Amino acid sequence: MDADLALVGGGLANSLIAYHLVQTRADIDLLLLERDGHLGGEHTWSFNSPDLTPRQHDWINPLVQYRWPGYEVRFPEFTRWIEGGYQTITSTRLHDVVARSLGDRILFNSNVTSIDAGGIGLSDGRRVRAKAIVDGRGPSNSSQLVIRYQKFVGQVLRLEEPHGLRGPILMDATVEQLDGYRFVYVLPFEDDLALVEDTRYSDVPGIERDRYVAAIEDYVGTRGWKIKRVEYEEQGVLPVALSGDIGQFWEDGISGVARSGLRAALFHPTTGYSLPNAVRLAERIGRLLPLSASELYDLTRLESVTHWNETGFFRMLNRMLFLAGEPAQRFRVFQRFYRLPAPLIERFYAGRLKNLDRFRLLVGRPPVPVGRAAAAVMATGRREAVPGYTKGREDD
Ligand SMILES: Cc1cc2nc3c(=O)[nH]c(=O)nc-3n(C[C@H](O)[C@H](O)[C@H](O)COP(=O)(O)OP(=O)(O)OC[C@H]3O[C@@H](n4cnc5c(N)ncnc54)[C@H](O)[C@@H]3O)c2cc1C
């Protein structure tokens, strides 16, 4: 089996690359290899509409299953509706649309066990030769990034009665604060169908699933909703970056092989979300192909390093969040953030902060002790003393 371009892993990033190339670069002979029998795993991927340009919306639109004109946040001191648009892609929709577009250019049930300059080895002994390869197999085990975690369990619930929500609740932080900053995330898909996710910004990655499920049931009960059945469940442990060495991160990978998605550290440092980065990378690859293996490696490495270098301010804020505040008081950082003007909040999530935005984010009385905030800015987040925590090098 041969291809000009082989995409290893049919998750979000490589599915978007493949889908974009099929639409814009029919001349490229590509192959997508996925370990499972479907694309995208079990996810709902959401994004703020302003994260993408109008042209990006145009080609992403067929993948979007749900749209709302804005969203709400709830904190102990206030509730706020923020206009601007919020959208969700489900893995089912991603699979349906991308698999239809690619046809026999996807190899399902293909567990890739080796990647080298000449091609790809599969666990069943097959080999794929490719001129260029993109490794998009999700997060790697590199210890070079110092991270904490946004972790959650979500259930899509069919309710007995309509929930009565006008749009998503991005953060309901009026709940009891547990295990760091805790909030409930609600996406109302239909009048009586909603994704309810119990989420925590935590120092440790483990999830005790049953406790999260009990917390979801508790939340649903306090809202006065009654569950008819659970239609679907997902869980995630997303990286929140404090510091790291992006150069060494790339040295840890397979030499000379291009990467996409989380494997390339292309995620928002504060939310762990990767969709806008994945859309941008797909477009960049589409514009520049055909590329040799080394040119493709250089392109994805440059995209990753540039993103890392441009997001140092977010990692500094993350250090203030995780290192300066008591875990139970972390909600105050978000409560203060959500009092800021809507355009600033929009630019924060899009990763396009202006200098004045940075000033506004820092000015005033911090919601954490001043001395500890200053120490956190200078710190790296490395925590040799904490058992089970991966040590990392820092350059921030
Ligand atoms: C439950 C959940 C919800 C999330 N929600 C959002 C969200 O709302 N918005 C957002 O922007 N981000 C979200 N994220 C974060 C991030 O965007 C996702 O993790 C995203 O899927 C990462 O994309 P990726 O392509 O790097 O990796 P993945 O989507 O994880 O894809 C990796 C793919 O590689 C395949 N694979 C792995 N090993 C092999 C192998 N050996 N051979 C062949 N194939 C292999 C896997 O089966 C998988 O399909 C969420 C993450 C999770 C876990």
Side-chain angles (χ1 to χ4, degrees):
M1 245 174 307
D2 289 348
D4 287 340
L5 176 67
L7 302 168
V8 178
L12 180 66
N14 276 355
S15 293
L16 290 179
I17 294 171
Y19 182 59
H20 189 59
L21 291 181
V22 164
Q23 291 175 328
T24 58
R25 298 296 307 267
D27 54 314
I28 301 295
D29 168 32
L30 70 89
L31 200 57
L32 177 60
L33 297 106
E34 167 54 42
R35 182 179 54 191
D36 295 337
H38 58 277
L39 301 174
E42 285 169 351
H43 294 85
T44 47
W45 296 285
S46 301
F47 57 100
N48 292 290
S49 303
D51 291 353
L52 303 184
T53 64
R55 201 185 56 194
Q56 291 170 337
H57 279 288
D58 282 348
W59 70 266
I60 282 291
N61 262 340
L63 305 171
V64 174
Q65 197 160 352
Y66 303 105
R67 295 178 177 80
W68 302 271
Y71 61 85
E72 188 178 299
V73 289
R74 298 177 178 207
F75 291 96
E77 290 180 5
F78 66 93
T79 291
R80 182 176 176 192
W81 173 264
I82 298 177
E83 290 287 340
Y86 199 69
Q87 309 194 15
T88 295
I89 295 173
T90 60
S91 41
T92 317
R93 173 68 72 91
L94 180 95
H95 170 86
D96 289 348
V97 174
V98 178
R100 205 178 323 120
S101 305
L102 264 79
D104 59 7
R105 285 186 274 183
I106 307 180
L107 296 183
F108 288 112
N109 305 310
S110 298
N111 183 25
V112 171
T113 48
S114 67
I115 301 178
D116 54 58
I120 293 159
L122 305 182
S123 57
D124 58 10
R126 283 177 296 165
R127 196 164 162 81
V128 173
R129 280 187 306 176
K131 291 186 188 142
I133 298 166
V134 179
D135 184 0
R137 287 177 290 173
S140 66
N141 289 327
S142 171
S143 60
Q144 303 300 338
L145 307 188
V146 181
I147 58 170
R148 301 294 192 269
Y149 311 93
Q150 183 193 177
K151 57 192 194 182
F152 52 84
V153 173
Q155 291 188 326
V156 175
L157 303 173
R158 181 70 64 185
L159 303 172
E160 298 281 359
E161 307 279 344
H163 44 67
L165 294 175
R166 122 189 220 217
I169 305 175
L170 230 63
M171 289 181 176
D172 187 342
T174 59
V175 295
E176 185 189 0
Q177 293 300 298
L178 298 168
D179 194 12
Y181 172 47
R182 174 179 171 232
F183 60 92
V184 177
Y185 171 81
V186 185
L187 295 182
F189 292 150
E190 297 168 18
D191 286 351
D192 61 349
L193 187 72
L195 169 69
V196 182
E197 243 166 44
D198 193 81
T199 307
R200 299 160 195 201
Y201 269 72
S202 171
D203 294 313
V204 289
I207 288 185
E208 288 178 86
R209 183 235 166 223
D210 292 350
R211 284 183 185 230
Y212 281 66
V213 169
I216 292 169
E217 285 166 1
D218 191 44
Y219 181 79
V220 167
T222 59
R223 298 297 309 243
W225 302 333
K226 289 203 176 62
I227 300 171
K228 194 187 255 179
R229 61 179 177 274
V230 178
E231 300 220 329
Y232 165 93
E233 184 173 311
E234 67 177 24
Q235 57 173 268
V237 181
L238 311 190
V240 178
L242 301 199
S243 63
D245 183 332
I246 195 69
Q248 278 304 122
F249 172 81
W250 275 82
E251 292 306 311
D252 278 358
I254 306 168
S255 176
V257 173
R259 302 190 214 168
S260 65
L262 294 186
R263 189 132 309 214
L266 284 168
F267 58 87
H268 189 291
T270 306
T271 63
Y273 279 17
S274 71
L275 191 134
N277 287 98
V279 169
R280 270 196 295 279
L281 183 66
E283 289 189 336
R284 233 152 247 175
I285 290 177
R287 260 199 307 278
L288 294 172
L289 283 178
L291 295 167
S292 67
S294 70
E295 287 167 338
L296 191 57
Y297 170 80
D298 288 344
L299 167 72
T300 59
R301 190 179 187 284
L302 180 66
E303 181 82 5
S304 159
V305 171
T306 304
H307 174 65
W308 183 265
N309 290 339
E310 287 174 354
T311 51
F313 180 79
F314 293 85
R315 293 191 292 280
M316 189 261 290
L317 293 181
N318 294 343
R319 294 198 295 275
M320 285 175 66
L321 177 67
F322 278 93
L323 307 180
E326 291 300 327
Q329 300 300 319
R330 279 180 197 155
F331 77 93
R332 292 186 191 284
V333 174
F334 285 90
Q335 183 169 263
R336 178 174 182 268
F337 171 73
Y338 273 108
R339 287 189 194 279
L340 291 166
L344 192 162
I345 294 171
E346 192 177 299
R347 288 193 290 273
F348 180 88
Y349 284 116
R352 291 194 294 259
L353 287 175
K354 300 175 175 181
N355 284 339
L356 188 58
D357 296 336
R358 292 166 201 253
F359 176 73
R360 292 201 68 167
L361 280 161
L362 292 176
V363 79
R365 195 167 152 260
V368 292
V370 178
R372 288 174 65 176
V377 169
M378 304 308 294
T380 61
R382 188 174 39 173
R383 306 188 325 167
E384 295 88 338
V386 177
Y389 185 74
T390 319
K391 262 206 269 177
R393 292 178 49 176
E394 301 78 29
D395 63 355
D396 287 294

